[in-house]
Amino acid sequence: MASALCLRLSSTFAGGLSARCLLNSRVQRTQFLHMGRTAFGAHDAAFEAAKERLNTLKEEPDNNVKLQIYALFKQATKGPCNTPKPGAFDFVGRAKWQAWSGLGDISQDEAQKQYIDIINGLAGEESPAETEQAGEEASSYKEIKVTKENKVCSILLNRPAKKNAITWLMYNEIVQALDDASKDDSVTVAVITGAGDYYCSGNDLGNFMNIDPKDMPKMARDGKELLRRFVTAFIDFPKPLIGAVNGPAVGVSVTVLGLFDAVYATDKATFHTPFTELGQSAEGCSSYVFPKLMGNTKANEMLLFNKKLTAHEACERGLVTEVLPHDSFQKEVQTRVEYVAQLPPQSVREGKKLVRDQEREDLHKANEKECEVLEGRWLSEECVRAIMSFFTKKARL
Ligand SMILES: CCCCC/C=C/CC(=O)SCCNC(=O)CCNC(=O)[C@H](O)C(C)(C)COP(=O)(O)OP(=O)(O)OC[C@H]1O[C@@H](n2cnc3c(N)ncnc32)[C@H](O)[C@@H]1OP(=O)(O)O
């Protein structure tokens, strides 16, 4: 069943690439050349250039972006969707159909324009030379930004356009940054925060797309291993780790907060772990830590029944140390972090170790167990359907 349901949004249907396929035959090319302005739109040259640019992108766009590109290409070249809706189990076909029909009757000209804008935007993102030349520390990180200053290592989740959703790359980068901060003697404290209006929207649901059905079990195994390593990096981080929750937090970004040493939240932050809505299950050691922090019934309210907490509720339940006013959040957090940074580092490390050692083994066991259960969940029909709903814009939290 899992393989029948899994999604494959391969690049061959993503607009420009399918454009190339569409125009492969001589007849099609001739038709294309004779379509002219009325059949297409006022941006023909730029549209052609955008198609070429799409083929030269170094990184494949996210699947939902591919869907958008596909839909706009169809609308620009064929007009409004006029094909029958694919059957219930043709998930990819339905996603494509829904994306195209979702454009309604916007004109071919407008579709061309949006297609060009998206592709030019993607191409622009691939040349971020200006920020690097602005004198910032050279860094190999792509989706987080790490800065070290005055003994503080700051890890910024840096995909604001996607609400800082965590991709496979980003999980790896966070593990790498924590490992580096733990070994760097110039660092006494680490802080994690988010760019833009969100702290983090949790696991990037695109992590589960673009998978060939036969590769689903491997994807689940690899995901389990990556998640295990990710959570382990938090359990064993030896220095003080502080969360600066600058906005809403979702999923795995909430659960691992239970492994931080202090969590400061703006009064605009919310805390949401919608695992069962997504056909998934608890991770980040939350099945162990949350009941200890807040008691079983309150933990269940979050982990099983998906209750979204305000910052004050999260503080009452012990997940947040202190709620700070949004307008002075950065400044207030900085004061607290600077205080921790100048404390005698060995003393703080020994103190943290004493506390963590009380439950370290149990945390590792909880992590193992949670990852095992999740591996099975990712292969379930419930989970695949929930992710599909997200990408076809039927369901947002
Ligand atoms: C190694 C694997 C380990 C796996 C560990 C498992 C972890 C479990 C979890 O973390 S479960 C939580 C998963 N997260 C979600 O379900 C959140 C999904 N997102 C939303 O519901 C909404 O986007 C929102 C409520 C976070 C924000 O809504 P809003 O309307 O304000 O904004 P948009 O929906 O328009 O979002 C802006 C763009 O960001 C993309 N995006 C947001 N969150 C995610 C995400 N988690 N995964 C992928 N993409 C995300 C969204 O698609 C928009 O992109 P677009 O502009 O290109 O459409």
Side-chain angles (χ1 to χ4, degrees), residues 64 161-162 171 201 203-205 252 283 390 393 396-397:
N64 49 344
K162 300 288 177 185
Y171 283 108
S201 62
N203 184 47
D204 190 307
L205 297 173
V252 66
E283 28 64 352
F390 174 78
K393 308 251 181 217
R396 284 290 199 267
L397 296 174

Side-chain angles (χ1 to χ4, degrees), residues 101-118:
S101 62
L103 293 176
D105 52 10
I106 69 166
S107 68
Q108 287 178 280
D109 192 34
E110 176 59 24
Q112 270 198 351
K113 187 175 165 309
Q114 289 187 23
Y115 178 93
I116 294 162
D117 286 348
I118 288 190

Side-chain angles (χ1 to χ4, degrees), residues 64-65 68 161-163 165 168 171 198 201-208 223 226-227 250-252 274-275 278 280 283 374 378 390-391 393 396-397:
N64 49 344
V65 176
Q68 261 177 297
K162 300 288 177 185
K163 311 289 182 193
W168 291 66
Y171 283 108
Y198 258 66
S201 62
N203 184 47
D204 190 307
L205 297 173
N207 290 336
F208 299 119
L226 179 55
L227 181 62
V250 185
V252 66
F275 300 129
L278 293 166
Q280 299 189 37
E283 28 64 352
L374 255 179
W378 289 329
F390 174 78
F391 281 112
K393 308 251 181 217
R396 284 290 199 267
L397 296 174

Side-chain angles (χ1 to χ4, degrees), residues 279-297:
Q280 299 189 37
S281 52
E283 28 64 352
C285 294
S286 55
S287 62
Y288 174 82
V289 174
F290 281 23
K292 273 183 86 176
L293 279 179
M294 55 189 87
N296 279 353
T297 55

Side-chain angles (χ1 to χ4, degrees), residues 131 136 141-146 155-165 170 173-174 193-196 198-200:
T131 29
E136 304 216 328
Y141 297 115
K142 292 173 88 176
E143 297 188 338
I144 61 174
K145 188 169 156 188
V146 179
I155 300 172
L156 180 74
L157 311 177
N158 200 16
R159 297 181 74 220
K162 300 288 177 185
K163 311 289 182 193
N164 301 321
M170 202 163 163
E173 291 191 345
I174 294 167
T193 194
Y198 258 66
Y199 173 67
C200 175

Side-chain angles (χ1 to χ4, degrees), residues 354-368:
L354 279 174
V355 175
R356 184 51 46 102
D357 281 350
Q358 297 289 332
E359 55 179 13
R360 193 184 302 275
E361 217 176 292
D362 291 333
L363 290 170
H364 284 301
K365 269 192 215 151
N367 185 24
E368 291 288 343

